[in-house]
Amino acid sequence: MTSPEIAGEVCHVAHDPARRVVQPDKARLLARLGRVEGQVRGVARMIEEDRYCVDVLTQLAAAKSALNGVAKQLLESHARGCVARAARDGDGEVAIDELLAVLRQLDGKAFD
C-alpha cells in the first residue's frame, strides 16, 4: 500500500475538525462499508421477522468483523501515511500517541 496523497492541512495531529486526507483506497473502503450497511439492514430485517436469536447474533458478529476490517485498513493507511509523514517532519511522538489512543478506543478489537 502506498502512502496517501496529501491535500491541504493533512496529517496534522492537532485536534482540528477540518483535517482532511485523501484516502488511497477510498473506493475499497466505501465498498466494504456498503456491504456492512447491507448486513446491518439484513439484521434489522431478521429482527422484524422474529428470526432465531443465534442466527441474528451470527449476522451481527459478521457485521462487526466487517467493520473491524475497515478499521484495519484505515489504521494501516494512517500508520503508513500520516504517522510516517509526522515522523519525517519531527512530530512522530505526537502522531504515535494519537495512534495509540485510537487503538485503545478500538479496544484492540480491530485485531481479533
Side-chain angles (χ1 to χ4, degrees):
M1 181 180 299
T2 60
S3 63
E5 297 175 20
I6 307 302
E9 294 295 312
V10 173
C11 298
H12 289 251
V13 291
H15 294 285
D16 175 7
R19 293 185 293 182
R20 298 284 186 267
V21 63
V22 176
Q23 292 296 332
D25 293 322
K26 185 187 291 190
R28 197 167 119 203
L29 285 168
L30 291 173
R32 290 180 92 163
L33 287 170
R35 287 191 295 278
V36 171
E37 183 180 17
Q39 287 176 303
V40 171
R41 280 195 309 270
V43 169
R45 197 168 36 255
M46 290 175 79
I47 291 171
E48 287 172 357
E49 295 170 355
D50 297 319
R51 297 281 297 273
Y52 183 54
C53 297
V54 172
D55 293 342
V56 176
L57 290 166
T58 299
Q59 290 306 309
L60 281 171
K64 184 177 175 181
S65 177
L67 275 175
N68 284 342
V70 173
K72 286 178 189 177
Q73 187 176 347
L74 282 168
L75 283 168
E76 181 176 349
S77 175
H78 181 67
R80 293 182 184 277
C82 297
V83 175
R85 179 186 174 120
R88 284 191 305 272
D89 293 348
D91 294 322
E93 288 299 316
V94 175
I96 290 169
D97 288 344
E98 183 182 53
L99 179 60
L100 292 173
V102 84
L103 287 171
R104 282 189 291 278
Q105 284 180 322
L106 290 170
D107 196 18
K109 300 301 182 198
F111 302 102
D112 286 347

